[in-house]
Amino acid sequence: MSNSAEAEQGRTDPKPAHAATLAVNAAMADALPFSDMQDFEDASRGLIAEAPRQVANADGRIVWDTAAFAFVDEFENAPDTVNPSLWRQTKLNMIAGLFKVSERVYQVRGLDISNMTIIEGDSGLIIIDPVTSIETARACIGLYFENRPERPVVAVIYSHSHPDHYGGVKGVVSPVAVAAGKVRVIAPDGFMEAIEGENVLSGTATYRRAQFQFGTLLKPGPCSCVDTGLGKSVTRGARSLIAPTQLIRDKVETHVIDGVEIEFYMAPDSEAPAEMHMYFPQFNVLNMAENVTHNLHNFCPLRGAIVRDPLLWSKYIGDAIELYGSKVDVLIAQHHWPTWGRERVLELLSIHRDLYKFIHDQTLRGINNGQKPSEVAEALALPEELSSQWSCRGYYGTVNHNSKAVYQRYLSWYDGNPANLHALPAVESAKKTVDYMGGADAILARAADDFEKGEFRWTAEVLSKLVFAEPSNREARYLLADTFEQLGYQAESATWRNAYLYGAQELRHGVMEMTISRTLGPDLMQAMTVSTMLDFLGVRLIPERVAGEAYVINLKISDRSEELALTLSRGCLTHLVNKSDPGAVATMTLTHEAIANIAVGVSTLDGEEVAIDGDREKVEALFAALDDFNPMFNVVTPLEAS
């Protein structure tokens, strides 16, 4: 290797913790009650069998790899490059296996980012949340069957509308069994509509941003990804979806499933748009889905989502205390470990009720005192009664970005300052800023000084401007990467750490080339309505390619006896359900599967059996005008930069 190549490699290698980072992490180690080991006892309680550390798909490719995190077991105390509070959560999330929670209630934890809860009915099994992927779901149920009697699955319950709680469903039941009525699939009202919004219409951008949130393309290690906060990692297996056969609509509904009484309590617009809690009176077990876990959650995750309502969230937890507090003995959730004992359960519930209400109320107090989003977030600090509780620590959400989410929910993105009402786009603003600051060399010199002082937040802000103005400036990219890295080493939040360190990786090595054809698979889309598919076609439409065109195309879904009228007008696609327009230029007849494949772009009109009666050229012109999203777009550099 030449001297220049060695020097270049040195610039792109991970760096040790800066003195300022060591000081920040040492202060954290002194501030929290690390002698409290109750969580470790709870996380290990009821262990029946340890989980395998790797899961492979049918082709032998590893899709779940806890073995990659084996380095965690080699450190008793946190490495210099990891926040000690986050390290504690990292070690807790290494405890994985099949656990007995109470009579007839079991959980598989640590074989996915989420938990699979298994309830033993009179004749079969009730699965709550079949985790994220088909492969990890099979591994979860397989681990259960290795240690408990093998019985059929009679019901699957989706606690809420996020992929890590439904994506593995075809690993535990078949669509054929569901269609035959042998398995009930139960979900909260609004479940499919919520999936449409968060996972279809904005699915490409969400997928890309989630790489930063979860560190999915970071190689695990003490200078890299150590955890996600909610669980160890994210599976790379195949995702699936079977639409619910039964929706819970009333605020409180009680159903008996295979001899097990379940009281469902709806909690929409809390951690997910469609979410519900479950109480099992025969076992005195309360399942809080993802609304009470062992960390501060997100009001709006870094991957992006509709902002959640922390006021409602707090009230739902208060309702749980009122409804079940006098009889609950065990609290479980679909992440992390259970809590046993009525007194401890009530304490955990009340802590989280107050946690979410405090952030909500104090953000609004700052808002009503005229503070801007960053000012509110910077000033907001939890009281000691909350900040000293391990379950309130910001391993996933943070007080800072949750406060900004509250601001966004009530007052939008605009902070009220007209200077920010129509600011220049990022690249144009960056170029003017660099010019005003005396050019790249001057900025680099000052940024290097500030880096040595440990002023990383400011260094990141300034250097990002330079990178957007001059994306090919290697010195700027490398110094910004070093800056992101130190911020990642300091972060208590796993999601912030992953975002910083993944940003550093892309600055040093560029956007990773991946063989990814689509972020939305046909399996997900085929569970959607045709109306949802047409909504997504509207998102994909490039209006310049159909400028001045206006016409209607009728669709007949041959295997569903459905009809829809699709209207192109003014560069926009709209549609009507149960409508056939006699003035349509053409009628397309095709199957539900075919339109799903076309909608997500895995197939074309020529690749599917589509009968077109009428003006075929108009139909072809419309489908030729659809955009083809690249999920690996630039984030830390301008879109047009290489």
Side-chain angles (χ1 to χ4, degrees), residues 315-328:
K315 289 181 178 180
Y316 291 141
I317 299 172
D319 288 347
I321 295 172
E322 182 66 21
L323 289 169
Y324 311 117
S326 64
K327 46 194 176 183
V328 63

Side-chain angles (χ1 to χ4, degrees), residues 327-347:
K327 46 194 176 183
V328 63
D329 290 328
V330 187
L331 185 147
I332 61 174
Q334 294 308 122
H335 293 277
H336 299 142
W337 49 92
T339 300
W340 285 269
R342 190 165 303 167
E343 184 177 339
R344 291 182 58 221
V345 168
L346 289 173
E347 180 185 30

Side-chain angles (χ1 to χ4, degrees), residues 124-179:
L125 303 177
I126 302 165
I127 305 293
I128 302 175
D129 291 357
V131 298
T132 313
S133 74
I134 294 171
E135 295 89 345
T136 52
R138 284 176 180 155
C140 288
I141 197 70
L143 181 62
Y144 173 85
F145 286 147
E146 287 174 10
N147 296 276
R148 297 291 298 163
E150 188 164 341
R151 296 196 287 173
V153 175
V154 297
V156 172
I157 300 173
Y158 303 139
S159 69
H160 62 290
S161 52
H162 290 153
D164 51 327
H165 300 271
Y166 64 75
V169 63
K170 291 185 180 179
V172 295
V173 295
S174 73
V176 173
V178 174

Side-chain angles (χ1 to χ4, degrees), residues 69-331:
F69 293 87
F71 68 90
V72 174
D73 298 328
E74 299 172 7
F75 292 85
E76 180 62 29
N77 298 314
D80 291 343
T81 53
V82 184
N83 181 291
S85 179
L86 175 58
W87 188 251
R88 180 183 185 274
Q89 189 80 346
T90 294
K91 293 183 79 68
L92 282 162
N93 282 336
M94 287 293 288
I95 302 171
L98 171 66
F99 300 84
K100 180 176 181 178
V101 176
S102 70
E103 288 301 318
R104 298 171 65 177
V105 180
Y106 296 81
Q107 284 191 319
V108 179
R109 304 196 291 270
L111 265 176
D112 202 295
I113 191 174
S114 54
N115 300 336
M116 179 186 289
T117 301
I118 303 170
I119 311 296
E120 296 181 343
D122 290 348
S123 62
L125 303 177
I126 302 165
I127 305 293
I128 302 175
D129 291 357
V131 298
T132 313
S133 74
I134 294 171
E135 295 89 345
T136 52
R138 284 176 180 155
C140 288
I141 197 70
L143 181 62
Y144 173 85
F145 286 147
E146 287 174 10
N147 296 276
R148 297 291 298 163
E150 188 164 341
R151 296 196 287 173
V153 175
V154 297
V156 172
I157 300 173
Y158 303 139
S159 69
H160 62 290
S161 52
H162 290 153
D164 51 327
H165 300 271
Y166 64 75
V169 63
K170 291 185 180 179
V172 295
V173 295
S174 73
V176 173
V178 174
K182 296 179 180 179
V183 182
R184 297 161 69 175
V185 179
I186 303 170
D189 193 26
F191 178 83
M192 294 298 288
E193 293 83 354
I195 292 175
E196 172 188 346
E198 290 195 358
N199 296 288
V200 177
L201 301 185
S202 63
T204 301
T206 299
Y207 168 86
R208 176 67 167 127
R209 290 165 60 114
Q211 292 175 350
F212 286 79
Q213 176 175 332
F214 295 111
T216 50
L217 299 180
L218 289 171
K219 184 178 180 180
C223 293
S224 189
C225 180
V226 297
D227 206 75
T228 70
L230 281 184
K232 211 68 242 145
S233 185
V234 176
T235 174
R236 299 184 183 185
R239 297 185 182 185
S240 60
L241 176 61
I242 298 175
T245 61
Q246 178 181 347
L247 292 175
I248 304 300
R249 301 183 186 276
D250 294 338
K251 186 173 183 179
V252 180
E253 287 188 28
T254 299
H255 296 272
V256 177
I257 303 171
D258 195 29
V260 177
E261 183 178 344
I262 308 176
E263 187 172 311
F264 296 93
Y265 178 81
M266 291 286 287
D269 296 319
S270 51
E271 189 270 339
E275 189 149 355
M276 60 187 180
H277 306 155
M278 288 154 268
Y279 179 67
F280 301 85
Q282 290 150 280
F283 318 127
N284 292 341
V285 171
L286 174 63
N287 187 334
M288 291 297 290
E290 203 166 324
N291 280 333
V292 177
T293 55
H294 289 279
N295 55 213
L296 170 61
H297 215 293
N298 285 305
F299 297 173
C300 186
L302 304 189
R303 62 175 172 79
I306 295 172
V307 176
R308 298 153 187 177
D309 189 341
L311 181 58
L312 268 181
W313 196 332
S314 175
K315 289 181 178 180
Y316 291 141
I317 299 172
D319 288 347
I321 295 172
E322 182 66 21
L323 289 169
Y324 311 117
S326 64
K327 46 194 176 183
V328 63
D329 290 328
V330 187
L331 185 147

